[in-house]
Amino acid sequence: MTLATIHWVLIGIWALLAVASAIVFTISRLSGKDMSELVQRTMSWWVMVAIFTVAFLVSNTISIIVFALISFLALKEYFSMIPTRRADRRVLFWAYLSIPVQYFWVYDGYYGMFAVFIPVYMFLFLPVASLLSQQTEGFLRAVGTLNWGLMLCVFSISHAAFLLILPATPDNATGGPGLLLFLIFLTQFNDVAQYTWGKLFGRHKILPGVSPNKTWEGFLGGVVTTFVLALLTAPLVTPFDLVHAAAAGLLIPVAGFVGDVTVSALKRDLGVKDTGSLIPGHGGILDRIDSLTYTAPLFFHFTRYFYY
């Protein structure tokens, strides 16, 4: 396995996207169901894959900056949805300021500070910053929602960026970039697979009170599809043996589903359909990375425990 393998995998992703686009176009013409959202999602995928490919090929630094920007946009969407007090405005500033600091630890490869900066230091600091306003009404809800937003949008997503820092191994010359490609590709492909299987064959609701469109057919179809794809791609870009490839092939689709419905529960509680409108057919940035908020930290620590 060499870095050239990553280039071939990227070419394969573009080819797969082209085939998927052709299939979606055909289904939209022949099916009696409304497939306009699926078509719109597919068009947005071309833009997102292009941005990811350019960032991925230029340098690790550019990729880390892209992830930092994603965290910023996701946190901005999150703060725009949740109820905040006037007294929390200065606290929001400190929350945003934590993004470049967290991603500096990624860039520097300083795992110790990366692992504790947000869940320890920011967790303890934000309540203190909030106390300076001397407004106690709504204090618990404010610090709770602010810290949860940081964990979801910044800390979780930064684990994907930290994969880039992981070195190559004798069994995996692609190193961190290969692992990141594996994670992103399977996470996003699982979203597409679950959506497509559910759209075509979904009959039995899985969590109607949280996400009415999620079905057992979509969930199981996505898990099986992603599992098979993990077994096929793991030897190309990861050091995983068959057992660990199979474990990752189950971990990613299940965790991705949980991340998806967790953000769905948040939106239902707040009474919004999408977290934003930045990406046609997908909603906002947080809508697009909801699965990654769960898959990134779990996959990172799974990989680090067994191979680093």
Side-chain angles (χ1 to χ4, degrees):
M1 295 180 291
T2 65
L3 289 176
T5 305
I6 292 182
H7 298 160
W8 283 110
V9 172
L10 287 172
I11 292 172
I13 291 174
W14 280 94
L16 184 62
L17 182 59
V19 172
S21 299
I23 293 174
V24 167
F25 178 78
T26 302
I27 292 176
S28 65
R29 287 297 185 91
L30 300 179
S31 175
K33 297 182 179 180
D34 180 16
M35 295 291 179
S36 58
E37 184 178 357
L38 185 58
V39 172
Q40 200 172 36
R41 285 188 173 210
T42 304
M43 294 175 64
S44 294
W45 269 115
W46 283 97
V47 178
M48 290 187 288
V49 170
I51 294 173
F52 175 78
T53 301
V54 171
F56 199 84
L57 293 178
V58 172
S59 71
N60 283 356
T61 301
I62 296 299
S63 296
I64 291 171
I65 292 173
V66 168
F67 275 109
L69 179 61
I70 289 172
S71 284
F72 169 77
L73 293 173
L75 191 64
K76 185 174 181 293
E77 289 178 352
Y78 174 80
F79 285 154
S80 69
M81 292 189 300
I82 65 171
T84 55
R85 308 173 301 171
R86 182 181 298 272
D88 294 329
R89 291 181 179 178
R90 291 183 179 179
V91 185
L92 297 184
F93 167 78
W94 292 112
Y96 282 123
L97 190 60
S98 72
I99 297 175
V101 177
Q102 175 69 4
Y103 280 93
F104 172 77
W105 304 132
V106 175
Y107 171 78
D108 193 53
Y110 191 171
Y111 176 77
M113 282 302 297
F114 162 82
V116 302
F117 175 65
I118 287 179
V120 177
Y121 291 101
M122 291 304 296
F123 175 80
L124 297 175
F125 173 73
L126 289 185
V128 175
S130 184
L131 283 173
L132 296 179
S133 68
Q134 303 186 56
Q135 180 176 334
T136 58
E137 183 179 353
F139 175 80
L140 177 61
R141 182 179 64 181
V143 297
T145 53
L146 291 175
N147 274 302
W148 194 72
L150 276 183
M151 290 293 294
L152 189 74
C153 301
V154 184
F155 185 63
S156 288
I157 297 303
S158 67
H159 283 79
F162 205 98
L163 282 171
L164 288 167
I165 307 302
L166 297 181
T169 66
D171 297 324
N172 180 30
T174 62
L179 290 166
L180 177 62
L181 183 60
F182 182 80
L183 168 67
I184 297 294
F185 176 52
L186 289 189
T187 299
Q188 301 304 325
F189 187 89
N190 173 64
D191 284 350
V192 174
Q194 290 195 14
Y195 178 85
T196 304
W197 284 110
K199 195 74 172 177
L200 295 176
F201 305 107
R203 297 291 184 274
H204 303 88
K205 306 294 184 182
I206 186 169
L207 289 171
V210 176
S211 185
N213 294 326
K214 300 294 183 185
T215 63
W216 280 105
E217 292 82 359
F219 171 67
L220 294 175
V223 169
V224 172
T225 304
T226 305
F227 177 78
V228 172
L229 198 60
L231 295 180
L232 294 175
T233 56
L236 300 176
V237 291
T238 77
F240 298 161
D241 57 24
L242 182 62
V243 173
H244 291 127
L250 292 176
L251 172 68
I252 290 175
V254 174
F257 173 81
V258 176
D260 190 339
V261 295
T262 298
V263 175
S264 293
L266 169 67
K267 293 186 290 185
R268 184 166 288 271
D269 179 38
L270 296 173
V272 299
K273 181 179 183 296
D274 297 316
T275 63
S277 57
L278 185 63
I279 309 174
H282 297 266
I285 287 290
L286 189 52
D287 289 307
R288 185 63 270 136
I289 65 168
D290 50 8
S291 299
L292 196 63
T293 60
Y294 270 62
T295 62
L298 292 175
F299 177 76
F300 173 84
H301 290 289
F302 168 85
T303 302
R304 191 170 185 272
Y305 179 80
F306 287 109
Y307 289 94
Y308 290 92

